[in-house]
Amino acid sequence: MDPKQIWQAVLGEIEINISKANFVTWFNNTYISEIKDGSIIVAVPNGFSKEWLENKYGKFIKQSLSKHCDRVSSIEYKIIPIQKTPAAPKNQKSQPHARASIENQTPPPNLNSRYLFESLVVGSHNELARAACESVAKNPGQNYNPLFIYGGVGLGKTHLIQAIGNYVSQNTPQLFVKYVTSEKFTSELVDAIKKQSIDIFKEKYKKIDLLLIDDIQFIGGKEKTQEEFFHIFNTLYQENKQIVLCSDRPPKSIATLEERLRSRFEGGMIVDVIRPDLETRIAILAKKARNLNSPPIPAEVLEYIAKNIHHNVRELEGVLNKLVATCQLQGYSPDLQNAKIILQDSFSKIITESLTPDKIINIVCDFYGIEKEKIKSKARGSEIMKPRQVAIYLIRKKAKLSYPSIGKELGGRDHTTIMHAYNKIKSLLKQDPSLKQELISIQEQCSC
Ligand code: ADP
Ligand code: MG
């Protein structure tokens, strides 16, 4: 076998053993650049891949290589940057803009100073996202551009994206950082249009070295915003400026996102954050508890909270704060017995709230960008049928309503129609990975 075939065989083996996101992230643009007397040099595109291949996958790669080569004495990972075709004429590649020169026109980065890499607890649920963010913070514009982070509510996306901003502001203060939500971006744009100052708006954005846009899913359906954002995106990208985007769902699930933007978003690196496991939830609580002005909270109390809240780190924080505040006010000690009395209501509220059909309908409508009245109406266009069927499926599965009751919730539909819709989604889920992903995103928002 030649080096290319050997590496293909190794990749084939690795691909079936790790997640797609990990595979694409770490193994794209890797190849064997040299084999000589059992010494193999694997080319990797950047220092970051080198670190991960060496440390996380080194053993695995070695085992696999040994199967396909006669004698493997050493494996070395060597950084050989990818030769990109320049998108802009070379001499136009701009230098970072000195902050001082634009300070007057641009507001400060608008970052929460608590959102740091150090304050983020890392678990398997966010390991990849955190590593990608750190890499971007250390080498903006060089490794993963754009970086697209998605995941459910309260799982640390804003924390991560702002940690990049804080890191860069502290370590490379000459770079101009802007953090903005997509809603703020839209309202700034609308304002600029009203004031006929759209050129100033564009100029301002094009001077940014690190653009962090949060909740980019809200750009869906806003044509003018997408149009302007597309141009700003291209300008920044061509000048190797870093763009990081957060969303509650992957690009392909953002309804009414223009194809050209979708393909831009998919052209960089996409990472997800999922729900933390029990150990990580306990670790998060322990870290937060240490920072609170409170008597030590016993481990069994942290475990009790972590076992009752599975979906959302913000809720974990909220419940812990409630416990500490109540204990302080009433002079109780934060032991398990008191915790159970104080927190019981919070837990049952979170559970029942997450299970009402109405909440599911609202989230589904929000997700697909349709009005609630429409989903309950007789309308039959495919843009409405699918969300309706998804809502039916979720209400049945998560709120456990009977078919006739679901029919009532959805504008008085017959139970056979409901049953048909439920079965349809159930069977589609087996064949359609993008529908599966949509359901995961929606359920994360339902916290169910
Ligand atoms: P999202 O943007 O995904 O909705 P946030 O970033 O706003 O979520 O996170 C919600 C809260 O939970 C924030 O206060 C954040 O600091 C905290 N948080 C989330 N994940 C972690 C983590 N892994 N370690 C520590 N704090 C976390
Ligand atoms: Mg957020």
Side-chain angles (χ1 to χ4, degrees):
M1 281 204 270
D2 68 16
K4 206 170 164 191
Q5 288 168 326
I6 294 173
W7 194 239
Q8 269 315 318
V10 170
L11 290 182
E13 235 165 74
I14 293 171
E15 188 172 8
I16 50 173
N17 281 294
I18 65 177
S19 75
K20 175 114 196 288
N22 268 308
F23 182 74
V24 171
T25 307
W26 308 117
F27 291 92
N28 243 2
N29 299 309
T30 58
Y31 55 95
I32 293 179
S33 72
E34 203 182 312
I35 301 189
K36 209 171 167 190
D37 304 330
S39 299
I40 300 178
I41 298 182
V42 176
V44 294
N46 51 54
F48 199 52
S49 288
K50 177 172 152 69
E51 211 177 293
W52 276 67
L53 262 61
E54 265 172 359
N55 299 329
K56 284 218 103 170
Y57 299 114
K59 234 167 124 183
F60 201 5
I61 295 172
K62 185 160 185 197
Q63 274 173 5
S64 180
L65 274 171
S66 304
K67 281 192 219 159
H68 304 287
C69 296
D70 290 343
R71 184 170 56 88
V72 179
S73 55
S74 70
I75 302 170
E76 193 194 325
Y77 297 91
K78 190 170 165 192
I79 302 171
I80 304 183
I82 318 159
Q83 297 294 317
K84 267 197 199 165
T85 20
K90 271 195 183 121
N91 56 1
Q92 277 184 12
K93 207 168 178 177
S94 68
Q95 293 300 315
H97 297 277
R99 165 92 56 95
S101 67
I102 43 175
E103 211 155 41
N104 296 342
Q105 306 147 17
T106 335
N110 197 13
L111 298 168
N112 182 333
S113 58
R114 280 194 312 116
Y115 291 159
L116 303 172
F117 287 122
E118 300 81 52
S119 56
L120 189 88
V121 175
V122 183
S124 55
H125 75 293
N126 65 359
E127 186 182 30
L128 183 62
R130 139 98 203 212
C133 288
E134 203 171 341
S135 162
V136 159
K138 288 185 176 161
N139 297 297
Q142 287 178 36
N143 287 343
Y144 306 115
N145 210 6
L147 172 62
F148 191 103
I149 309 162
Y150 74 89
V153 183
L155 295 180
K157 300 181 300 297
T158 298
H159 189 132
L160 274 168
I161 198 175
Q162 292 210 11
I164 301 176
N166 279 318
Y167 185 97
V168 171
S169 298
Q170 280 160 19
N171 293 283
T172 337
Q174 71 275 22
L175 294 188
F176 180 52
V177 177
K178 179 151 174 114
Y179 166 84
V180 69
T181 62
S182 74
E183 292 143 300
K184 178 94 194 310
F185 179 87
T186 305
S187 76
E188 279 182 24
L189 174 67
V190 171
D191 234 36
I193 294 170
K194 266 195 224 147
K195 292 184 186 143
Q196 299 189 330
S197 58
I198 183 104
D199 290 342
I200 300 174
F201 172 86
K202 284 188 199 163
E203 277 315 302
K204 187 178 86 175
Y205 271 89
K206 288 176 182 173
K207 282 177 180 162
I208 291 166
D209 297 303
L210 169 62
L211 177 59
L212 308 166
I213 303 208
D214 208 345
D215 290 324
I216 191 75
Q217 72 273 8
F218 293 126
I219 206 175
K222 296 179 182 137
E223 279 167 31
K224 182 69 184 157
T225 308
Q226 292 194 25
E227 165 87 25
E228 291 307 337
F229 181 62
F230 181 73
H231 294 301
I232 291 168
F233 183 103
N234 284 344
T235 308
L236 294 179
Y237 181 80
Q238 282 168 11
E239 295 189 4
N240 288 344
K241 308 297 189 56
Q242 180 70 47
I243 302 156
V244 186
L245 308 157
C246 282
S247 164
D248 65 353
R249 64 199 82 174
K252 64 174 173 314
S253 304
I254 304 179
T256 56
L257 180 67
E258 275 184 37
E259 198 42 49
R260 56 183 184 166
L261 265 181
R262 192 189 315 275
S263 72
R264 286 287 186 281
F265 293 173
E266 284 173 347
M269 172 163 170
I270 303 183
V271 287
D272 64 351
V273 279
I274 54 173
R275 295 171 188 171
D277 58 21
L278 178 67
E279 286 72 28
T280 313
R281 297 200 297 278
I282 294 174
I284 292 172
L285 285 168
K287 186 159 186 146
K288 308 261 175 220
R290 279 196 296 276
N291 294 333
L292 290 171
N293 186 14
S294 132
I297 300 174
E300 57 181 6
V301 172
L302 300 182
E303 192 177 327
Y304 168 68
I305 299 176
K307 279 189 168 155
N308 280 283
I309 296 187
H310 313 171
H311 315 114
N312 183 324
V313 179
R314 194 176 294 125
E315 276 172 7
L316 277 179
E317 277 182 339
V319 164
L320 181 69
N321 287 337
K322 177 175 172 188
L323 174 68
V324 169
T326 314
C327 287
Q328 266 169 359
L329 283 173
Q330 316 266 11
Y332 299 153
S333 85
D335 57 29
L336 186 59
Q337 206 183 354
N338 285 332
K340 283 187 173 166
I341 298 168
I342 296 168
L343 298 179
Q344 214 164 33
D345 281 357
S346 312
F347 296 150
S348 49
K349 188 162 160 258
I350 289 166
I351 291 162
T352 44
E353 261 183 6
S354 63
L355 292 178
T356 64
D358 219 40
K359 187 171 177 199
I360 294 174
I361 291 173
N362 281 338
I363 291 171
V364 169
C365 287
D366 245 25
F367 187 89
Y368 290 107
I370 59 167
E371 288 150 27
K372 204 172 156 186
E373 291 69 48
K374 281 216 175 122
I375 212 170
K376 297 188 175 187
S377 75
K378 299 272 172 264
R380 296 185 53 83
S382 66
E383 74 288 356
I384 298 163
M385 293 278 278
K386 180 175 156 189
R388 187 183 290 135
Q389 288 166 347
V390 166
I392 290 170
Y393 177 82
L394 285 174
I395 296 174
R396 171 77 185 157
K397 206 150 183 254
K398 297 295 170 187
K400 310 247 184 284
L401 256 61
S402 66
Y403 293 124
S405 318
I406 302 174
K408 265 190 219 141
E409 293 285 341
L410 280 155
R413 293 187 139 72
D414 187 69
H415 75 278
T416 53
T417 315
I418 303 295
M419 204 154 74
H420 173 76
Y422 175 80
N423 288 330
K424 179 153 184 207
I425 295 293
K426 195 171 159 196
S427 72
L428 275 177
L429 278 174
K430 292 186 190 135
Q431 321 147 15
D432 183 349
S434 75
L435 179 67
K436 199 167 163 190
Q437 181 55 55
E438 286 171 23
L439 268 280
I440 291 173
S441 301
I442 296 170
Q443 288 179 68
E444 300 236 293
Q445 289 177 52
C446 295
S447 298
C448 60

